[in-house]
Amino acid sequence: MIDPRLLRDDPDRIRAAQTKRGLSADVVDRALAADEQRRSSIAEFERLRAEQKQLGAQIPKAQGDEKQQLLARTKDLAAAVKKAEQAQGEAEEAYRAAMTSIPNPAADEAPAGGEDNFVVLEEIGTPRDFAAEGFEPRDHIELGRMLGAIDLDRGAKVSGARFYYLTGAGADLELALVNLAMDQARQAGFTTVIPPAIVKPRAMDGTGFLGQAADDVYRIEGEELYLVGTSEVPLAAYHSDEILDVESLPRRYAAFSPCYRKEAGSHGKDTRGIIRVHWFDKVEMFTYTTVEQSFAEHQRLLAWEKEFLTKLGLAFRVIDVAAGDLGLSAQRKFDCEAWIPTQGRYRELTSTSNCTDFQARRLDIRGRFPQGTRPLATLNGTLCAMTRTIVAILETHQQADGSVRVPEALQPYLQGREVLTPVAR
């Protein structure tokens, strides 16, 4: 959640941040009122408790009628204390609900507006001109069938729409991407992790995924457990309720995990192929650092993403995501979008977000500083989302006969293969 002092000291800044995201600023007034009610209820409860303790000390010394009056007052006071305690609990709940509904204020540098108001920061590489090469590119669905790499029919038969099998070259390609990504992360100083893909509500809520993204989350019926849509969730919760020594920062983790998403609201979008699916695997980078260092770390995460996509020989662009398209926790987000030849447009492959101290406050992750403890900053960044990266590789590096050239960086992880050749036509 946001810093309560920021709400009290500069509510207009929060109102402006809401407007920048295209959201109502009414929640600011509700949060201010809830904060006032919470503080007054705490004061009233403490006042009554103090009086209760004072009377408790007087009763043993009292005699006769005075003692009876004190006992009667004690009985009335016990009921008042109980009522005040209940009121305090309700006020705390209302305050937390209001506070957790306020997103992290977007960075001043983030563009205002919604999904279409991003700013292109740079373009890297040049999309192939297939017309100049004399052939029409095939889409990843046809290439996947020819290579024996993607089986959509059996995925739908076994699991339903937006599921798939990766087979043969497809499975090998994913494993190669995983190993290339993990090697790059390891060489950059990340600790490699295989995290749980099922988490408790606090982990999901603490990272902001039970807010605006709740409809996209899979909940296990009958249990207070959720399937994660990204390993950002278990990585953020890894140090929940802990105080880390500032000398140990930054702490960087790279996790491989499955990701599950309902794709709510995507009816009719990308219904063919493996662009938008209910399950995919991913290598995710995650950093704990100080708020002051988080901005430079954000640029480093973006640089590692760019390095990885460049190794794959993809043409891509980097965009600064508009405030209205940021997740609840993100202060700023950069996306890397690869050119997909058969779609004639760029599609998101990676993203990296600076969540500053927003998630750390919700998960009680603090650093030990000379001046005391205070919340840390958390950042996340996709190093490789497997399905979309496979789409980009197949379509970008295809040849006229349906074979696909293997990027040089991947060849050591694919038994030295330089070309993936069709097994069916």
Side-chain angles (χ1 to χ4, degrees):
M1 63 182 69
I2 64 170
D3 187 342
R5 292 173 298 180
L6 183 60
L7 176 71
R8 295 171 195 153
D9 298 342
D10 196 359
D12 285 341
R13 179 180 169 187
I14 307 302
R15 292 188 182 96
Q18 290 288 105
T19 301
K20 188 173 186 178
R21 281 179 176 260
L23 302 174
S24 170
D26 292 348
V27 67
V28 179
D29 294 323
R30 292 200 301 273
L32 286 168
D35 184 35
E36 179 60 35
Q37 180 62 34
R38 179 184 70 93
R39 287 191 286 170
S40 64
S41 67
I42 291 172
E44 177 63 8
F45 173 71
E46 291 179 348
R47 183 189 68 81
L48 291 171
R49 281 287 293 141
E51 185 178 349
Q52 191 179 42
K53 290 179 180 179
Q54 186 179 27
L55 281 178
Q58 292 176 3
I59 288 174
K61 304 174 185 177
Q63 300 291 331
D65 291 343
E66 181 187 5
K67 187 168 187 174
Q68 293 304 312
Q69 291 173 1
L70 289 173
L71 288 171
R73 173 57 183 153
T74 299
K75 185 177 180 180
D76 293 341
L77 200 54
V81 167
K82 186 176 180 179
K83 185 177 180 180
E85 186 176 21
Q86 181 179 347
Q88 179 186 338
E90 292 171 353
E92 289 277 6
E93 187 175 334
Y95 170 71
R96 177 167 177 79
M99 288 293 286
T100 54
S101 68
I102 299 175
N104 199 352
D108 292 339
E109 299 86 352
E115 183 178 0
D116 297 327
N117 299 114
F118 60 84
V119 171
V120 177
L121 299 178
E122 60 180 322
E123 294 183 1
I124 299 172
T126 303
R128 279 178 68 185
D129 185 348
F130 285 92
E133 296 181 33
F135 74 97
E136 185 76 18
R138 297 176 172 89
D139 68 15
H140 73 278
I141 300 170
E142 185 177 359
L143 291 167
R145 179 186 60 78
M146 293 176 67
L147 296 169
I150 305 170
D151 194 330
L152 295 168
D153 292 337
R154 290 186 175 92
K157 177 182 71 174
V158 173
S159 301
R162 300 189 191 275
F163 285 94
Y164 57 93
Y165 282 83
L166 294 180
T167 56
D172 292 344
L173 189 51
E174 167 161 330
L175 293 173
L177 286 166
V178 171
N179 283 295
L180 177 63
M182 283 299 210
D183 274 357
Q184 178 179 309
R186 193 180 297 108
Q187 290 163 11
F190 285 78
T191 298
T192 51
V193 179
I194 306 293
I198 299 176
V199 298
K200 297 177 181 179
R202 182 161 183 250
M204 195 69 79
D205 183 54
T207 44
F209 286 94
L210 293 186
Q212 64 194 57
D215 290 341
D216 212 24
V217 172
Y218 281 107
R219 181 177 180 274
I220 299 177
E221 294 299 324
E223 298 187 52
E224 285 299 301
L225 293 169
Y226 293 87
L227 298 177
V228 301
T230 167
S231 53
E232 171 192 345
V233 176
L235 288 177
Y238 187 58
H239 286 300
S240 57
D241 303 313
E242 294 182 23
I243 300 174
L244 307 180
D245 288 328
V246 68
E247 292 81 9
S248 71
L249 304 177
R251 295 198 186 191
R252 299 187 178 111
Y253 301 97
F256 171 72
S257 75
C259 306
Y260 303 94
R261 301 181 184 183
K262 288 185 177 179
E263 290 295 343
S266 66
H267 180 73
K269 296 180 181 178
D270 299 309
T271 55
R272 298 178 67 249
I274 59 173
I275 287 281
R276 195 183 298 271
V277 290
H278 290 309
W279 149 73
F280 62 95
D281 296 324
K282 183 170 63 156
V283 173
E284 181 83 357
M285 300 178 290
F286 197 89
T287 301
Y288 295 87
T289 189
T290 65
V291 172
E292 294 79 8
Q293 291 296 319
S294 68
F295 311 105
E297 182 70 6
H298 198 194
Q299 294 295 330
R300 282 188 284 269
L301 290 173
L302 176 60
W304 282 314
E305 292 179 347
K306 291 162 56 179
E307 176 187 346
F308 189 77
L309 297 181
T310 300
K311 287 177 181 176
L312 300 179
L314 302 177
F316 64 98
R317 69 182 183 183
V318 180
I319 68 169
D320 197 348
V321 176
D325 199 29
L326 295 175
L328 184 77
S329 300
Q331 180 248 19
R332 197 178 187 191
K333 181 169 81 162
F334 303 119
D335 285 354
C336 291
E337 301 180 328
W339 180 258
I340 307 300
T342 62
Q343 296 190 7
R345 62 183 177 130
Y346 290 97
R347 300 299 302 266
E348 177 193 336
L349 253 61
T350 73
S351 67
T352 176
S353 298
N354 184 359
C355 297
T356 58
D357 57 355
F358 189 87
Q359 293 176 334
R361 288 182 181 278
R362 295 165 77 111
L363 291 167
D364 195 20
I365 305 164
R366 291 171 288 159
R368 184 178 289 104
F369 297 85
Q371 303 82 6
T373 64
R374 67 173 187 266
L376 294 176
T378 58
L379 302 96
N380 62 81
T382 310
L383 191 51
C384 185
M386 300 304 152
T387 49
R388 290 196 177 198
T389 305
I390 289 172
V391 169
I393 289 173
L394 294 183
E395 294 205 12
T396 296
H397 298 305
Q398 64 180 292
Q399 302 183 101
D401 63 355
S403 62
V404 175
R405 289 180 291 104
V406 176
E408 186 176 348
L410 276 177
Q411 292 174 15
Y413 303 95
L414 279 166
Q415 303 79 47
R417 279 178 281 180
E418 297 179 1
V419 178
L420 303 178
T421 55
V423 297
R425 295 184 185 275

